[in-house]
Amino acid sequence: MSLRIVVLLLLLFTMNLSAQDRWPGFLGAGTSAIKADSIPTSWSPEKHLEWKSDIPGYGQSSPVIWGDQVYVTSVEGPEKEKLHVVCYSLQSGKQLWDHIEPSTNPEKNSVYISRAAPTPVLDENGIYAYFESGDIVALSHEGKRKWAASLTKRYGAPQNKFGLSASPVQWQDRLMILIDDEGPSYLTAVSKADGSELWKTDRKSRASWSSPMLVPVGETFQVVCSSAGSVDGYDPQTGKQLWTYEQVGGNNKTSPVPAGNGQFLIGASPGREGDNNELAKKSNGLFEVKQQDQTWQPQFVWTNPSPVPSWATPIVYRGNAYWVNRVGVVYCFDAIDGKEVFTSRIKESCWATPVGLGDHIYFFGKNGVTTVLQAGNEFKVIAENELWTEDAPPVNNNPTAAEDSEERRRSAAMFSRPTLYGAGIVNGYLVLRTGSQLYCIH
């Protein structure tokens, strides 16, 4: 089963179909069909850049789209005390509304701590935005507040010193949120209607920033979590853990995007100190879960020790699997057997996950250069597209919190330039987001 068919199946299960174009969740989960020729393969600040809009505060989430409306989240203030959900017109870039929710768990606004990192989800009733503070806010498409809930008040504050970034996944009447933390860790489902708990399943404590994904397995769906030492499958209806696989390591950043029925890719890399090095080399590949004699059988179909991904999740597109590492090396493997197709370097590393459209794959470079590759077995660069010029003004990404060490001050200086965090795509429009600006290619 192709990834495009899987995505369309996810759409059927997560929301009611309508004629509207939509990119309603992290990594496009539940996206509507996109005409590949409606998206340019080349652009620049002077060509195909339809509009550019400022975002209040700073955020690392991806944009999401419903019809003619684009949504982003951000945080603002010395303690990230203001949580923004902002809506723009897709056609003009005009800001339509900005809802500010007070944080129930203020913490230092720093480049070292995630800032509005989780991507919200959309359905026909509105937007559901979750922040690393533990706050969830539900709004209508007109910006009217429907309800708010605090997982921090409900279960306690997270303890990860770098913050949380896992995005929620939606299924039918619920949102499922993964809190993998140095303190209490859990997967929970909350009601879209009022934010109440539907179920909560405790997990082993761990430090991780990967997001859960809804994966078709057999005739149903499972919530799959690939996170810091295990890959786990859960029943979205009850929260029951169905299976676990623990012979993995370094899988704490990328998400298990579906690659077929019961199949998804796992990405893993050693930590900064080289921890999990040997196990991480055995943890990049195609994973499969299937049922045999009433028992779930999780296992790798194949692995490859070469790729070391950073934040960009590996994808399967047109029979090939793609990883991109922290210096921009693209690894392409045959998705069926894992044989190497090519290994070559593009201009920039990617924090946003690549997207395949038609005959092309878009790699969104961290520093604003999107490399468009020809899909297939040959490494062929179609275009290298700059979103901003070298003399782009510094980003006011952290105006209120001084860093307390020379190392942290150097890191803050590194993040003083724009960083491309995520993309959203519907027919005719490619929307890209940095910490404080939104760009639309048309």
Side-chain angles (χ1 to χ4, degrees), residues 194-236:
D194 58 13
S196 60
E197 178 190 304
L198 297 177
W199 51 257
K200 173 176 174 282
T201 302
D202 291 334
R203 291 167 53 84
K204 294 179 182 178
S205 296
R206 66 192 83 189
S208 181
W209 301 271
S210 62
S211 298
M213 299 297 290
L214 199 64
V215 176
V217 181
E219 300 299 319
T220 186
F221 285 83
Q222 295 181 8
V223 183
V224 174
C225 304
S226 172
S227 175
S230 72
V231 185
D232 307 284
Y234 297 87
D235 182 343

Side-chain angles (χ1 to χ4, degrees), residues 99 137 140 142 151 204 298 304 357 381-382 429:
H99 175 85
V137 59
S140 71
E142 294 72 39
L151 299 184
K204 294 179 182 178
N304 190 291
L357 285 175
V381 176
I382 301 300
Y429 297 91

Side-chain angles (χ1 to χ4, degrees), residues 39 68 79 88 131 160 167 179 247 258 302 319 329 331 336:
I39 305 299
D68 184 41
E79 301 294 324
Y88 299 83
F131 294 83
N160 191 321
S167 299
I179 307 292
Q247 289 77 51
W302 56 262
V329 175
Y331 299 85
I336 295 176

Side-chain angles (χ1 to χ4, degrees), residues 10 31 35-36 88 127 158 178 232 257 305 367 397 414 433 439:
L10 287 172
T31 186
K35 297 178 182 178
Y88 299 83
I127 181 169
L178 177 66
D232 307 284
V257 173
N367 298 319
N397 70 1
M414 180 180 67
R433 148 333 122 85
Y439 297 80

